[in-house]
Amino acid sequence: MTEPTDGGTPPAFPFPRTCPYRLPAQYNGLRESGPVSQVTLPTGKPAWILTRYDDVRKSLLDPRLSSDRADPNFPMLVELARSDKDSTLSLAGMDAPEHTRARRAVVGEFTFRRMEALRPRVQEIVDECIDAMLAGPNPADLVKSMSFPVPSLVICELLGVSATDRDFFEDRTSRMLSMTLPPLTRQQAFFDLQTYLDELVTTKEKTPGDDLLSRQVAKGRKDGTYDHDALVDLAFLLLTAGHDTTGNMISLGMLALMEKPELRARITGDPGSTPQVVEELLRYFTITDIITTRVAKEDLEIGGQIIRAGEGVFALGGAANHDPDVFENPGKLDVDRGARQHLAFGHGPHQCLGQSLARMELEIVYDTLLRRVPGLRPAGPAEDLPLKNDAAIFGLHELPVTW
């Protein structure tokens, strides 16, 4: 990799967030002075970061940038055992044409129509979680009572997993995604999840039900493409990505809705505006900022900078979603801006498969909480909240609330 122009060591990355409402301060300066910049990862290895919307968007469409996590040069924030890297994590770690075939096989499970059919059950889950919270102590931790139970139970419903295993999944996923726990602890969490899901898929093969995994088994057997290990990897991806991302967005979105009366009034006064509010919250927080990661398969140019084959690239969605050339006054939560072109769900072939489900869950949670618990408010100042800067997906470790 080319040496920094000032002769110094590239800055340490990721840059921490210091406030729930603010992305790392370095992004704005880099977007102006060095939109394609060199950084040093926690592993000590170098990489590039992209901070302009156009560069990020184009990079996510460029087939010369690979998602293959088995590539020895793939930029990792923490060192993993080879057996961890060798798992493709299904869709997330594939390139075309394998990725195209694998995504096509499962995309029908996440159509808008199928997600809408799930809406009544999601509403039941949200109401049950609110009932339990209101019956418990006041103040309560919204993270434990709502933010993670809701998406965990929904994903368990989709995959045909027993709801009694939710605590296991949350614990192992949290450990695996942490950037501060010892590598062996992270690896053990990974293996625990893989083992459970391998057994779950085996059960679906023997005793199918009405769930996503059973339908994938039947479909693969019918067309002669069934692959047990690939389905385990897909289940792993859906389980870990499907509840951690949505859970963190529930926490941060509710914090904003509780602290900003104009946003709360917007939803309670006009529930039909909730989808518009959700889009702006997704853009504003962009909690998956640092997980859109690639490795160059050949030399290429991005934003006037040559990226060499084998070099890692982080296409920062949060920096892109706060690019003032695309979003006027990006640091303001403006639900009237029409932010559907945001990159909170990524872009291109790897755009989030479950985005319709995530949007629906967020809409139902925000609508229902504000309607059923109109006096809901933070139990302390936002600046005292423990930020999740120790994980690949940003959020809050706790959100004490009262009513």
Side-chain angles (χ1 to χ4, degrees), residues 229-243:
D229 292 340
L231 188 55
V232 171
D233 284 343
L234 175 64
F236 187 98
L237 175 67
L238 296 176
L239 189 66
T240 55
H243 91 267

Side-chain angles (χ1 to χ4, degrees), residues 42-58:
T43 59
K45 296 180 180 179
W48 297 94
I49 60 172
L50 313 181
T51 52
R52 285 185 181 165
Y53 181 92
D54 285 346
D55 291 337
V56 170
R57 192 174 187 276
K58 290 175 182 176

Side-chain angles (χ1 to χ4, degrees), residues 133-384:
M133 182 182 79
L134 294 178
N138 182 357
D141 178 11
L142 199 71
V143 171
K144 290 183 179 179
S145 58
M146 286 293 302
S147 300
F148 281 91
V150 169
S152 293
L153 289 168
V154 171
I155 288 295
C156 287
E157 188 94 4
L158 274 177
L159 299 183
V161 173
S162 170
T164 58
D165 292 333
R166 179 174 59 80
D167 289 343
F168 167 83
F169 287 124
E170 288 186 13
D171 175 74
R172 298 307 192 275
T173 302
S174 176
R175 294 186 192 189
M176 188 184 68
L177 294 176
S178 171
M179 293 187 291
T180 58
L181 289 176
L184 287 178
T185 301
R186 289 169 46 87
Q187 290 159 17
Q188 187 59 54
F190 174 92
F191 293 137
D192 288 348
L193 283 171
Q194 284 284 86
T195 299
Y196 178 92
L197 291 170
D198 182 84
E199 294 172 353
L200 178 65
V201 170
T202 299
T203 298
K204 301 300 180 184
E205 291 167 348
K206 297 176 180 177
T207 314
D210 183 17
D211 55 73
L212 183 151
L213 295 180
S214 296
R215 288 191 292 271
Q216 287 297 299
V217 170
K219 182 179 179 181
R221 285 174 169 171
K222 182 178 180 180
D223 59 25
T225 62
Y226 181 64
D227 185 327
H228 172 94
D229 292 340
L231 188 55
V232 171
D233 284 343
L234 175 64
F236 187 98
L237 175 67
L238 296 176
L239 189 66
T240 55
H243 91 267
D244 201 57
T245 50
T246 305
N248 285 310
M249 266 308 302
I250 289 174
S251 299
L252 290 168
M254 279 306 305
L255 176 65
L257 292 169
M258 289 187 294
E259 289 206 320
K260 299 182 183 300
E262 69 279 9
L263 289 182
R264 181 196 292 257
R266 185 66 170 263
I267 288 180
T268 55
D270 179 16
S273 69
T274 306
Q276 193 173 353
V277 175
V278 166
E279 293 307 319
E280 175 64 356
L281 290 171
L282 287 165
R283 177 204 70 85
Y284 185 81
F285 288 111
T286 315
I287 60 172
T288 55
D289 182 42
I290 63 174
I291 67 171
T292 308
T293 315
R294 301 288 187 268
V295 61
K297 295 192 292 186
E298 59 184 82
D299 293 356
L300 70 153
E301 181 181 323
I302 302 177
Q305 174 65 54
I306 299 298
I307 308 292
R308 302 296 182 187
E311 293 182 341
V313 176
F314 286 79
L316 302 180
N321 284 338
H322 283 249
D323 187 336
D325 289 340
V326 180
F327 303 98
E328 184 178 357
N329 194 9
K332 178 183 178 182
L333 263 169
D334 179 4
V335 298
D336 292 314
R337 73 169 69 246
R340 284 300 292 249
Q341 77 271 36
H342 66 73
L343 304 176
F345 289 117
H347 185 62
H350 283 271
Q351 190 172 37
C352 177
L353 190 65
Q355 58 183 289
S356 292
L357 176 61
R359 286 184 169 104
M360 180 179 67
E361 290 181 72
L362 294 173
E363 291 168 17
I364 292 175
V365 169
Y366 298 158
D367 274 340
T368 310
L369 264 175
L370 295 180
R371 172 175 51 83
R372 291 194 54 191
V373 197
L376 190 69
R377 61 192 183 276
E383 56 266 27
D384 292 342

Side-chain angles (χ1 to χ4, degrees), residues 60-72:
L60 298 178
L61 293 169
D62 196 324
R64 297 171 296 178
L65 292 170
S66 170
S67 297
D68 183 6
R69 283 151 173 75
D71 188 315

Side-chain angles (χ1 to χ4, degrees), residues 372-394:
R372 291 194 54 191
V373 197
L376 190 69
R377 61 192 183 276
E383 56 266 27
D384 292 342
L385 294 172
L387 306 182
K388 195 178 286 187
N389 277 318
D390 58 346
I393 299 171
F394 181 69

